[in-house]
Amino acid sequence: MADTRHDPVVVIGLGRFGTALALELAARGTEVLAIDRRPKIVQGLAGRITQIAAADATDLEALRELGVAEFYRAVVAIGGDLESSILVTSLLVELGVDDIWAKAVTHQHKRILERIGAHHIVLPEHDMGERVAHLVSGRMLDYIELDDGYALVKTHPPREFVGVPLGETKLRSKHGVTVVAVKPKGESFTYATADTVLQYGDVVLVAGPAGKAERFAERL
């Protein structure tokens, strides 16, 4: 399979989400074609993004003229105008774009985008709210749900696991989680092994089923 990570990307819609995404991609060295129907927005970003165009992305001919069909990956970053979001996504499907990402603002919006052919759906506000809720309600330093029901948690090690080689704690069999990396105080993260001995002040990355990973982080 070809490596498509550095292929050019089309970003359609330059609100806060689309602009941040386009600028970050550009900063990472990815060629970006950014499209928005508002000339003022386009003018303000000119020179900061590889290619940028003021055009109506709900017009199939406009997308063809911009060469959107030649791109492997596209992101529909339109959020507030649901009709435009849905129409643009359907036009990208019609043009044969292989990898379509789309921003949704509600779960109903997400379901519609999935039905018409978007390959990946992002719910930025919902996902961030859910993540912050996990952090506010517990002792975790960070929380990322990698897939439904599976999470990566950044936390401090509970005292019962301090000073003991990880291989002797039987973490996986007893608690259903795995310490995958450890960051000693003042140092960088490194892979955890069976011989790793955790210390007070360490930060650990723990992977496992979401509930079990959260319970591990809550142990004192």
Side-chain angles (χ1 to χ4, degrees):
M1 180 181 292
D3 186 349
T4 62
R5 289 174 296 176
H6 302 297
D7 282 356
V9 177
V10 179
V11 177
I12 300 174
L14 295 173
R16 284 180 297 176
F17 175 73
T19 297
L21 174 63
L23 290 174
E24 180 62 23
L25 286 169
R28 290 169 176 261
T30 299
E31 184 180 341
V32 176
L33 167 59
I35 303 171
D36 195 282
R37 68 173 63 190
R38 297 165 294 181
K40 187 174 181 180
I41 297 293
V42 170
Q43 291 167 9
L45 290 169
R48 302 173 65 191
I49 297 171
T50 319
Q51 302 176 63
I52 188 165
D56 181 1
T58 65
D59 182 338
L60 182 60
E61 289 309 312
L63 294 179
R64 284 197 172 119
E65 288 177 11
L66 288 168
V68 171
E70 305 304 315
F71 285 73
Y72 174 84
R73 182 171 291 123
V75 181
V76 181
I78 302 167
D81 186 343
L82 301 192
E83 183 178 349
S84 292
S85 165
I86 293 164
L87 179 54
V88 170
T89 302
S90 68
L91 293 179
L92 293 176
V93 173
E94 184 174 340
L95 287 171
V97 176
D98 293 287
D99 194 26
I100 301 170
W101 293 69
K103 174 187 176 182
V105 294
T106 66
H107 286 285
Q108 182 180 19
H109 185 197
K110 175 184 177 181
R111 287 192 293 271
I112 294 171
L113 292 171
E114 287 173 336
R115 288 194 193 109
I116 61 178
H119 305 99
H120 311 275
I121 312 296
V122 181
L123 279 154
E125 290 82 2
H126 173 271
D127 293 345
M128 182 55 71
E130 187 176 73
R131 183 179 181 189
V132 171
H134 282 285
L135 301 180
V136 169
S137 64
R139 298 176 61 245
M140 293 173 286
L141 303 174
D142 207 348
Y143 175 94
I144 301 173
E145 189 159 333
L146 304 175
D147 202 350
D148 290 342
Y150 198 87
L152 185 67
V153 169
K154 180 180 177 183
T155 187
H156 292 295
R159 66 167 63 97
E160 65 186 279
F161 302 110
V162 169
V164 182
L166 282 174
E168 297 178 16
T169 63
K170 303 195 185 314
L171 257 179
R172 192 176 301 175
S173 59
K174 287 184 177 179
H175 302 284
V177 299
T178 302
V179 174
V180 295
V182 58
K183 182 180 184 296
K185 193 171 183 179
E187 299 181 31
S188 301
F189 272 109
T190 185
Y191 292 113
T193 70
D195 297 323
T196 299
V197 178
L198 303 179
Q199 305 293 337
Y200 290 111
D202 287 352
V203 174
V204 295
L205 293 181
V206 179
K212 292 181 178 180
E214 289 187 62
R215 284 194 290 276
F216 173 84
E218 297 305 312
R219 301 175 74 89
L220 297 176

